[in-house]
């Protein structure tokens, strides 16, 4: 697996790729623009091309992540259009950087319509609108939710059905967040084999294109989205080992979104994960 972490683009896209490589990462994630804004960004195409070239030369896989305000289930007309424009802009940047896809959280409807399916309908409508205007190769990667503030996107069944109902499902994959899966109760840390078996039968696993590798500060089923360093939270190390040994995940980018002290990088945690889990995984295959 390609172990990496989230990297800042303060030194540009190519700078982010170099920073990932220097800390021993073989994958990385980045925000294409200001993570707190939906404003469309005019980006440096030469910088993006240099990022793509550097990654190809050094065997690095990258993924992009939409800004925090992105919500696929909004109903306000102005916010809806702003979100569509923003996600398309993010996809353009991700594609130019050579990233395999753009991670976006499963929608969370917080409006006043009482129809329990309305949020899902809005999400399908928005994703169809986005992909209807997007012609590049970068995929849209839907991430499972932890359940904090809203119960949408917490189950494998929801993730699979949303994709199946889209006009162009082949252009959508998944990003599996281990903390979110644990916090939502999708996975309790002792039952990965039956969870993986169900996910395989439903067609979920084969469309997972990236993993967010995070421990959880809170117990399973807490629905609290608080990441912990691997081995420092409530998810047992043996549970992570099972995830690493999943055949469908062997070549995927596996990105840490865990805390680290100010001024330091994820270099030590990347090395520890490789030593603790990847070596054991290779030995078992």
């Amino acid at each position: 697996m390609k172990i990496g972490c989230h990297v800042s683009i303060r030194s540009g896209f190519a700078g982010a790729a170099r920073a990932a490589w220097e800390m021993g990462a073989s994958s990385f994630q980045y925000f294409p623009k200001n993570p707190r804004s939906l404003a469309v960004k005019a980006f440096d195409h030469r910088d993006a091309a240099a990022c793509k070239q550097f990654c190809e030369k050094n065997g690095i896989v990258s993924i992009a992540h939409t800004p925090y305000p992105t919500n696929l289930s909004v109903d306000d007309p102005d916010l809806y259009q702003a979100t569509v424009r923003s996600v398309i802009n993010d996809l353009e940047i991700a594609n130019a950087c050579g990233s395999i896809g753009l991670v976006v959280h499963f929608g969370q409807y917080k409006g006043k319509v009482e129809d329990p399916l309305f949020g899902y309908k809005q999400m399908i409508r928005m994703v169809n609108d986005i992909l209807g205007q997007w012609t590049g190769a970068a995929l849209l990667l839907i991430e499972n939710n932890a359940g904090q503030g809203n119960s949408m996107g917490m189950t494998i069944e929801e993730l699979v059905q949303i994709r199946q109902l889209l006009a162009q499902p082949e252009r959508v994959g998944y990003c599996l967040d281990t903390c979110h899966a644990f916090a939502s109760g999708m996975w309790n840390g002792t039952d990965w084999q039956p969870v993986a078996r169900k996910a395989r039968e439903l067609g979920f696993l084969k469309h997972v294109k990236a993993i967010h590798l995070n421990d959880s500060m809170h117990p399973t089923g807490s629905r609290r989205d608080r990441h912990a360093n691997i081995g420092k939270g409530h998810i047992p190390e043996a549970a992570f080992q099972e995830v690493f040994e999943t055949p469908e995940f062997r070549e995927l980018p596996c990105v840490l979104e865990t805390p680290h002290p100010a001024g330091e990088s994820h270099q030590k945690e990347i090395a520890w994960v490789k030593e603790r889990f990847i070596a054991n995984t290779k030995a078992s295959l």
Side-chain angles (χ1 to χ4, degrees):
M1 298 178 75
K2 294 184 174 293
I3 308 300
C5 61
H6 188 95
V7 179
S8 169
I9 61 166
R10 65 172 62 92
S11 298
F13 302 121
R18 283 192 294 271
W21 180 75
E22 288 171 357
M23 69 178 79
S26 50
S27 69
F28 72 97
Q29 176 181 269
Y30 61 97
F31 287 119
K33 57 194 178 197
N34 184 341
R36 306 190 188 285
S37 173
L38 294 177
V40 171
K41 175 180 179 178
F43 65 99
D44 186 340
H45 286 263
R46 291 173 300 178
D47 181 30
C51 173
K52 179 179 180 180
Q53 184 178 24
F54 186 89
C55 290
E56 289 175 347
K57 179 181 178 181
N58 293 283
I60 301 171
V61 177
S62 69
I63 54 175
H65 197 300
T66 56
Y68 298 123
T70 308
N71 185 351
L72 298 177
S73 295
V74 297
D75 56 358
D76 175 83
D78 292 337
L79 183 56
Y80 181 99
Q81 292 302 325
T83 303
V84 169
R85 290 193 296 270
S86 177
V87 174
I88 292 173
N89 180 225
D90 293 338
L91 282 165
E92 290 171 346
I93 295 171
N95 203 61
C97 288
S99 304
I100 60 172
L102 172 72
V103 178
V104 59
H105 285 261
F106 197 100
Q108 293 195 36
Y109 180 65
K110 300 176 182 178
K112 298 180 180 179
V113 177
E114 295 182 1
D115 178 1
L117 296 180
F118 185 76
Y120 296 96
K121 294 174 183 177
Q122 284 296 94
M123 181 176 172
I124 292 169
R125 176 191 169 201
M126 184 181 288
V127 173
N128 283 340
D129 280 352
I130 291 167
L131 295 181
Q133 300 175 59
W134 170 240
T135 59
L139 299 172
L140 196 64
L141 305 178
I142 298 176
E143 180 178 353
N144 56 303
N145 286 342
Q148 186 166 302
N150 190 286
S151 61
M152 291 176 65
M154 294 170 56
T155 68
I156 294 170
E157 288 84 355
E158 289 173 273
L159 291 155
V160 170
Q161 190 166 26
I162 281 289
R163 183 180 180 278
Q164 290 175 341
L165 292 172
L166 295 172
Q168 301 180 71
E170 70 280 1
R171 303 179 71 193
V172 174
Y174 303 113
C175 175
L176 176 66
D177 188 299
T178 56
C179 173
H180 297 179
F182 185 76
S184 68
M186 177 194 293
W187 167 49
N188 67 22
T190 65
D191 62 346
W192 178 252
Q193 295 308 322
V195 169
R197 185 163 53 250
K198 179 173 74 170
R200 190 173 290 115
E201 291 171 353
L202 292 176
F204 175 79
L205 285 190
K206 66 181 179 181
H207 295 297
V208 175
K209 303 301 181 182
I211 294 174
H212 283 169
L213 184 63
N214 302 309
D215 210 326
S216 175
M217 289 187 180
H218 299 283
T220 184
S222 65
R223 295 176 60 166
R224 300 185 67 179
D225 183 9
R226 294 292 302 278
H227 300 178
N229 296 96
I230 308 304
K232 303 295 185 181
H234 284 266
I235 302 176
E237 286 188 23
F240 280 115
Q241 188 66 55
E242 286 190 300
V243 172
F244 279 116
E245 292 175 357
T246 304
E248 290 87 347
F249 296 169
R250 287 177 188 165
E251 303 297 325
L252 298 188
C254 196
V255 174
L256 294 163
E257 296 180 311
T258 52
H260 61 87
E264 294 188 19
S265 73
H266 281 92
Q267 185 169 0
K268 291 181 180 178
E269 190 172 12
I270 290 171
W272 184 84
V273 168
K274 287 182 177 180
E275 180 181 356
R276 173 65 181 83
F277 298 108
I278 303 304
N280 289 341
T281 298
K282 288 180 179 178
S284 69
L285 296 180

